[in-house]
Amino acid sequence: MPTVQDKPNLNVFKEHESEVRSYCRSFPAVFTKAIGDKLWDQDGNEYIDFFAGAGALNYGHNHPKMKEKLLEYIKSDGITHGLDMATEAKEKFITKLQETILNPRNMKYKVMFPGPTGTNSVESALKLARKITGRETVMSFTNAFHGMTLGALSITGNQFKRHGAGVPLHNTVVMPFDEFMGEETDSVDYIERFLEDNGSGVSKPAAIILETVQGEGGINVASFAWIKRIEELCRKWDILLIIDDIQAGIGRTGSFFSFEPAGIEPDIICLSKSIGGYGLPFALTLFKPEHDIWEPGEHNGTFRGNNLAFVTATEALAFWEDDSLVKQVERKGEKVHQFLKSLVQKYPDLKGEVRGRGLMQGLVCHVEGLASTICCTAFEKGLIAETAGINDEVLKVMPPLNIDDEVLDKGLSILEESIKAVLKQ
Ligand SMILES: *Cc1c(COP(=O)(O)O)cnc(C)c1O
């Protein structure tokens, strides 16, 4: 993404923070404040948030109810750090998760706290799948993104990110995601050919891991039929099914879990990003009780009980006591989808295409560098949005799910103004 790195107020970061920094390059401002669907910078500029912390802020910034609960908890000297000791905050969260999410869906899962980030959840899922099956290989998909630690990186598609490992990334095999090879080729049949033929060179995997909508990989949406057939394949061949719902889950596509409309029952589910509700680091790994074969402490870590996140996560689950949020996401998602489609028609120079489910929408621009340039221009006009896809060819529209309708409209119109301005050049 082209950047405005010469802004003097970014000097401290430029001088002292590692070159590895990334989002501050795309959004060159020093932010001071955020409420709901908006952020403000040091110079008093206001920004509409179509980024939502890459999906970590589905309920917006500093939600007042979560903030209140958090402040109360801190004031009362509630436990902040306690490794994975039993705390009241944790007890309340586990209970609320059962009552609000798992029981109503008739889902029987054990919950594991793997460490605070998404990649921690993925690592624990991979380890567990290998331990259960005694097999080494894990099957993943083209353009998948599962995180930056070595196990998660080994099942991530992006060549640039993979190269960062500096060691061979072993024990994985990559298969084509839904429609990766065009609409004509059925990738489930393709995968099955490898499994059934002992000459294929592909050994039976411990697990298949997938995102139902690939976030970083470019808002690639798997059809419900494809997801269901992957599940059937897993059952037939006795392979575990892991759904990485770190970005697409927690209502981003509508339902709490993104896979609900596909009618599947994953063996293992990875959650992070918005599960904490408030943007605090938090991750979960859910698995069927019969898969809970861990020895005590076999997978351990210092920060596996973020009690502050337990408090906000418990409050966030109140959003799921009725279906109003689901309805909002459906309505707003449809609005964004139609708006993006109208842009594609109105501005043929975009060579555009629209992809997405719920409030996880993408405007694909089949012109090199165009989506990034539009994002930069949008930022200057007060809209924060990021790109996805291997060549940053997808402009991602991911506002907080509870974004105000007027703010959503305003953000969309800034997007159109930015497109107009960029295409004029
Ligand atoms: C963000 C993300 C991860 C990694 O989460 P981190 O907290 O960045 O480690 C894994 N999988 C998916 C689908 C993600 O979007």
Side-chain angles (χ1 to χ4, degrees):
M1 211 181 254
T3 52
V4 196
Q5 281 294 296
D6 47 1
K7 279 201 173 178
N9 57 348
L10 286 166
N11 277 350
V12 168
F13 308 93
K14 224 172 128 180
E15 239 181 83
H16 302 291
E17 192 183 347
S18 160
E19 289 303 319
V20 80
R21 68 196 188 277
S22 73
Y23 288 105
C24 62
R25 299 174 191 267
S26 317
F27 309 125
V30 181
F31 295 97
T32 51
K33 184 174 159 170
I35 303 174
D37 43 33
K38 286 185 185 149
L39 289 90
W40 289 268
D41 71 15
Q42 248 174 8
D43 304 323
N45 297 310
E46 183 179 287
Y47 301 88
I48 292 175
D49 192 357
F50 270 17
F51 172 53
L57 292 162
N58 283 2
Y59 311 98
H61 298 263
N62 298 329
H63 190 279
K65 280 195 183 144
M66 296 181 212
K67 183 166 71 182
E68 199 186 303
K69 286 279 155 74
L70 192 55
L71 289 173
E72 250 171 51
Y73 187 81
I74 293 172
K75 256 194 203 149
S76 69
D77 286 323
I79 300 284
T80 299
H81 182 267
L83 288 137
D84 76 344
M85 289 191 282
T87 63
E88 195 172 58
K90 189 199 250 189
E91 183 181 25
K92 283 186 178 158
F93 170 72
I94 294 175
T95 307
K96 186 89 178 171
L97 182 73
Q98 291 295 329
E99 286 173 1
T100 319
I101 305 298
L102 299 177
N103 291 347
R105 288 166 179 77
N106 208 6
M107 290 171 69
K108 289 207 168 41
Y109 285 82
K110 288 294 267 303
V111 51
M112 168 178 180
F113 302 100
T117 70
T119 202
N120 294 145
S121 173
V122 171
E123 293 293 344
S124 69
L126 298 181
K127 228 191 228 187
L128 184 61
R130 288 181 169 127
K131 186 172 157 69
I132 293 165
T133 59
R135 293 175 222 140
E136 288 167 2
T137 306
V138 169
M139 194 176 272
S140 62
F141 291 98
T142 48
N143 286 308
F145 180 87
H146 296 291
M148 289 295 106
T149 48
L150 287 184
L153 200 52
S154 75
I155 47 169
T156 288
N158 188 308
Q159 194 182 25
F160 168 68
K161 301 265 201 277
R162 290 179 68 85
H163 189 73
V167 293
L169 296 170
H170 279 322
N171 305 319
T172 57
V173 58
V174 63
M175 285 287 163
F177 194 68
D178 194 13
E179 296 197 3
F180 179 77
M181 299 186 299
E183 285 173 29
E184 304 296 299
T185 313
D186 185 316
S187 72
V188 183
D189 287 346
Y190 181 89
I191 296 165
E192 186 146 39
R193 276 295 295 129
F194 280 89
L195 293 174
E196 70 192 6
D197 193 323
N198 286 335
S200 72
V202 171
S203 53
K204 185 156 103 170
I208 294 183
I209 182 166
L210 66 96
E211 304 151 85
T212 65
V213 181
Q214 294 183 322
E216 300 310 297
I219 316 292
N220 307 311
V221 181
S223 73
F224 298 144
W226 184 84
I227 297 167
K228 186 77 193 160
R229 288 190 58 219
I230 291 287
E231 185 194 42
E232 284 161 12
L233 186 89
C234 286
R235 299 300 164 240
K236 180 171 166 191
W237 293 92
D238 187 29
I239 296 164
L240 296 172
L241 176 60
I242 307 172
I243 299 293
D244 177 347
D245 228 8
I246 290 169
Q247 189 163 153
I250 328 294
R252 181 45 66 187
T253 65
S255 47
F256 185 84
F257 296 105
S258 71
F259 53 80
E260 285 176 60
I264 60 161
E265 272 184 56
D267 295 287
I268 305 177
I269 304 163
C270 300
L271 294 178
S272 186
K273 293 211 162 93
S274 275
I275 185 67
Y278 202 71
L280 291 167
F282 193 39
L284 301 181
T285 315
L286 304 176
F287 36 81
K288 297 270 183 74
E290 63 268 30
H291 296 323
D292 192 10
I293 60 161
W294 290 115
E295 299 290 337
E298 191 178 2
H299 189 83
N300 221 333
T302 310
F303 291 110
R304 292 181 306 118
N306 186 347
N307 281 273
L308 301 184
F310 288 140
V311 173
T312 54
T314 305
E315 184 57 32
L317 291 179
F319 271 95
W320 297 93
E321 284 165 353
D322 60 36
D323 63 356
S324 60
L325 190 62
V326 180
K327 292 235 165 76
Q328 272 192 65
V329 175
E330 278 170 6
R331 181 174 57 78
K332 291 173 191 169
E334 187 56 23
K335 181 191 239 176
V336 173
H337 195 80
Q338 293 308 329
F339 185 84
L340 296 180
K341 271 185 152 172
S342 74
L343 291 179
V344 166
Q345 283 192 331
K346 218 157 138 187
Y347 305 99
D349 289 347
L350 286 174
K351 295 199 179 19
E353 182 193 332
V354 184
R355 298 200 283 247
R357 265 177 67 201
L359 274 172
M360 194 168 183
Q361 296 286 333
L363 173 63
V364 192
C365 301
H366 296 289
V367 179
E368 205 190 312
L370 186 56
S372 300
T373 312
I374 295 168
C375 272
C376 280
T377 305
F379 182 73
E380 284 162 17
K381 292 178 185 294
L383 179 73
I384 297 183
E386 73 161 337
T387 55
I390 194 66
N391 298 310
D392 286 317
E393 72 280 16
V394 186
L395 190 152
K396 247 170 135 186
V397 179
M398 288 208 353
L401 308 181
N402 52 356
I403 187 171
D404 190 82
D405 278 288
E406 266 172 43
V407 177
L408 179 61
D409 290 341
K410 173 108 188 285
L412 292 174
S413 72
I414 294 176
L415 183 58
E416 178 163 9
E417 279 168 36
S418 309
I419 289 171
K420 267 193 212 161
V422 169
L423 290 179
K424 217 186 265 172
Q425 286 161 15

